[in-house]
Amino acid sequence: MSGRVIIVGGGLAGLAATIKVAEAGVPVDLFSVVPVKRSHSVCAQGGINAAKNMKGEGDHPDIHVTDTLFGGEYLADQPLVRRMCDEAPNIIDLLDRMGVTFNRTPEGFLDFRRFGGTLHNRTAFAGATTGQQLMYALDEQVRRYEAASLVEKYEYWEFLSAVKDGEGRCRGIAAMNIWDREVKVFRANAVCICTGGPGMVFGKSTNSVINTGAAASRVWQQGVWYANGEFIQVHPTSIPGADKLRLISESVRGEGGRVWVPRNPADKRDPVEIPDSDRDYFLETKYPKYGNLVPRDVATREIFSVCVDENRGINGENMVYLDITPARSGKDGEVLERKLGGVFEIYRKFAGDDPIQRPMRIFPGMHYSMGGLWVSPVDGGGQVRQKTNVPGLFSAGEVEFQYLGANRLGANSLLSCIFGGFTAGPRMVEWIASHPEEADESVYSDELKRQNAENDKVLGMNSGGENAFALHRELGQAMTAQCTVVRRNEGLRQLMDKLGELEERWSDIDVNDASTPVNQSFAFTRALFDMIQLAKAMAKGALLRDECRGAHYKPDFDLEKPEKEQLGDHRMTDAYKGFVRELEAKHGVEYDAKFKEAPAGTAPAAPEFQEYMRNWVEQQKRWSKTTLATWKPNAEPDIEFRDVVMTCEPPKPRIYK
Amino acid sequence: MADKKVHLIVKRQEGPDSAPYWEEFEVPHTPGMNVISALMETRLNPVTRDGKRVRPVTWDSGCLEEVCGACSMLINGRPRQSCSALVDNLEQPIRLEPFSKFPVLRDLMVDRSPMFEALKRIKAWVPVDGTYAMGPAEKIDPAQQQEMYKYSECMTCGCCLEACPQYNDSSAFVGASAIGQAYLFNMNPTGKTLKDDRLDEMMGPGGVVDCGNAQNCVRVCPKGIPLTDAIAAIGGQVTLHAVKRLLRQ
């Protein structure tokens, strides 16, 4: 077959896409700012979800779909989630065949553990370094294709822009070799952006320092829509550090870890000396059914509220205990070591204490972006497309927006990245078969000129008084303060102004290095501009979305919930019944009876709950929509809201008990 | 103490062909800080200890939690990851140098691409038929999984090569990390179908026979991978392989 594919980013999604394209016999140029084996996917610890029902719990992909949609508060495109969850068991088998060292049951089957937002043991894992193991398995397969000359790697190359022709179609990319700053343009019939999350926009996060979001921002500035940017997952458990926030995996809670603070905030005893009667296991008390395994957004807000609103953190600081010691988790130390060794190692090395001996001290940290580049929903034949609104430009992985909704359930990220990559690959192969024509040379030379001019401009920035790294800290602090756990319109308005100010001050940066080899100061300065742009998409979306949904929590617009005793079954309310009928008519479907009819004998809803459901339905009609941001030069982005495809099941109120 | 300082001595080099030189920095100390955060501080105000304004230091880094393998450097002479090197556990001044066994790109950043080439040479992969749904893989004994897991944590950081006396300009020795990977893939039920190819490589120049048994690799491996066990095991496999080949002739 003629034609070439370019894949930008060598994490799970990029590698998965590369494998599929190469397998079809189409050559791939794979670009990455780092050797692909060092991509951020290696940081994922806990595992990957697949409803294989290996523990006799009656698990099924249908339940995986419902958990994912419910956990993401119904912003995820439903047919896509359906496809992903159906495919998950096959993906696990394939990864196993590729040699991933998944943990085993005594008989030698794959072992599964429980993660947040589900009641099933659905998560396959390789110690506590699952992301690393999955990445390596895919990296090895790509190396195999590299040895067979089907894949050419461009490592230490930074993506600068898509090359677009006069009709707006993507014809290749411009990229820069970061060893010697040379910019080149590369031809391709299809390009896939798989560049991961934007953690650096928040200064410190659980992300790698390479996760600037610059590539996403660059194509956004070239016309790709950015969707659901305001949905930023703050992970409940991380170790605060001077350089970054280090993730402590949800699997710690999945294996029995318990979150608590001393009942008396002034209790200065060593935590192991504090008896259960003097501990407040606040998640277990408030959520008896899910306990410590409520979804991430819920756990994060509870921990944040205990520390910030109630001032009950350990020693008055913003920290709570996460207790996996055998005495409290009821698990054997050796077994824990085998399943969580990788997490313990991080805590031992960076916090200097042993989680088996003494509870960990943790606090929420910015972790994942549910939002990202817009990709189109399934086509008429039910195929997932992974295609952006720029023809010829595809996207997969954390950098796109579509599988997770308003909040991601643990261990769905590795799945959505691999599934997205595996899907994007064949779609690109189809695309190039029907789009084999070559673009005119001038399309490339024009883009090369444009990028060289941009580089010269940044390299020439040497008379101002700003330091790029200091400005980045300010960006991170402002975003973390106003655009993470709790959001208020006044703060978000100030944030938008602050971002405008940072953009102005950006021109005043002294790059302080005009030399050629590995000029990080220059490259970072360029990326910082793009980070500020992307921050605007996130902040503006948050500002306009006047509601609470998943990771987006705006207390001024929270629906008042009735007392616990007045809560009832939503299917017993008139408001909900009417809403479901409307949705069925709108989407031309008839939902399964279980979503509409409460079991016989269910108590009628209390008037307070009826009232709550009326308000809830109004909120859904107004806000269960995808946020679409369009970039504007020197201005705030334009935002519009679009309907979500809800052909599988109707939303239901997200109440975890 | 508010005015506690961290004193860094950094080996610098403008580019691949320039001569190295040293510069000293002093940055404020913060609790729990690592070498990377000390370096990050220098970028905020790149002025040396004697008041000279210089260009910011270049170094390689990624995850900062010791799983990506990027931020290797020599810290007080020892090859290790700079993210997990906590300042309070180091003697000051802290001396930072790039690895000596790889070409320097700039300052503390080196080119470790030979390590990835070595993985190609030893066919460090499982030759699956394809990526289509073909059912589950073979069951694996949990004990064997645990053995394999240790080696699959190798992040290609290069510490074992930097510490190895046999790994140098005048030798083709592939080094401990690649031998560990050969051992790992020879253990995999499907990976072992390429065992003969891997052992051919290991028998030849630069293979396992070049190991001088200094055992430095296992001492510096940040992941605690039992590399010398893999070297011994591959040594044994190579001997058997050689005998088999002789018999076949």
Side-chain angles (χ1 to χ4, degrees), chain A residues 193-231:
Chain A
I193 304 288
C194 307
T195 48
M200 287 290 275
V201 168
F202 293 79
K204 286 192 287 185
S205 72
T206 64
N207 287 192
S208 297
V209 295
I210 50 177
N211 293 22
T212 59
S217 180
R218 286 165 187 167
V219 293
W220 181 48
Q221 291 168 59
Q222 291 188 286
V224 178
W225 297 322
Y226 198 78
N228 289 350
E230 66 270 34
F231 293 98

Side-chain angles (χ1 to χ4, degrees), chain B residues 116-136:
Chain B
F116 298 107
E117 286 303 315
L119 294 177
K120 257 190 241 166
R121 218 172 108 190
I122 59 147
K123 300 190 175 165
W125 54 72
V126 176
V128 295
D129 281 349
T131 61
Y132 305 99
M134 292 166 149

Side-chain angles (χ1 to χ4, degrees), chain A residues 20 23 37-38 97 101-102 107 129 133 141 156 209 243-244 246 349-350 467 510 515 517 520, chain B residues 34 43-44 53 59-60 62-66 68 83 106 126 130-131 139 145 149 152 155-156 222:
Chain A
K20 284 288 188 183
E23 189 174 32
K37 201 176 174 181
R38 309 203 193 285
R97 285 172 45 221
T101 54
F102 283 120
E107 197 185 326
T129 61
Q133 304 313 319
Q141 296 300 320
Y156 290 111
V209 295
D243 51 340
K244 83 169 292 191
R246 290 184 175 81
K349 280 195 172 152
F350 293 96
N467 174 300
D510 174 6
S515 54
Q520 292 178 329
Chain B
N34 54 6
R43 286 194 308 205
L44 292 176
R53 187 171 155 79
W59 73 92
D60 209 351
C63 72
L64 309 188
E65 48 195 59
E66 213 182 58
C68 82
C83 64
R106 192 178 218 192
V126 176
T131 61
K139 287 198 285 186
Q145 180 269 338
Y149 182 74
S152 65
M155 53 190 185
T156 331

Side-chain angles (χ1 to χ4, degrees), chain A residues 416-446:
Chain A
S416 56
C417 288
I418 295 175
F419 178 73
F422 276 165
T423 307
R427 292 297 88 76
M428 288 193 286
V429 172
E430 289 162 17
W431 170 268
I432 67 171
S434 55
H435 296 80
E437 55 286 353
E438 294 277 311
D440 195 65
E441 182 54 38
S442 65
V443 170
Y444 300 95
S445 51
D446 287 355

Side-chain angles (χ1 to χ4, degrees), chain A residues 330-405:
Chain A
K331 298 281 172 72
D332 178 75
E334 238 170 75
V335 173
L336 287 174
E337 198 64 52
R338 199 158 64 235
K339 292 179 161 180
L340 297 169
V343 187
F344 293 167
E345 208 50 36
I346 288 176
Y347 196 82
R348 286 178 192 129
K349 280 195 172 152
F350 293 96
D353 208 351
D354 186 355
I356 294 276
Q357 306 294 333
R358 185 170 284 104
M360 293 180 256
R361 296 150 63 104
I362 54 90
F363 193 68
M366 187 277 165
H367 182 52
Y368 199 92
S369 171
M370 274 69 71
L373 299 176
W374 183 84
V375 281
S376 60
V378 291
D379 63 19
Q383 286 267 43
V384 177
R385 291 190 279 205
Q386 303 294 146
K387 202 172 144 220
T388 72
N389 54 310
V390 169
L393 189 62
F394 296 73
S395 182
E398 184 177 346
V399 73
E400 58 94 326
F401 89 106
Q402 66 185 347
Y403 294 99
L404 308 162

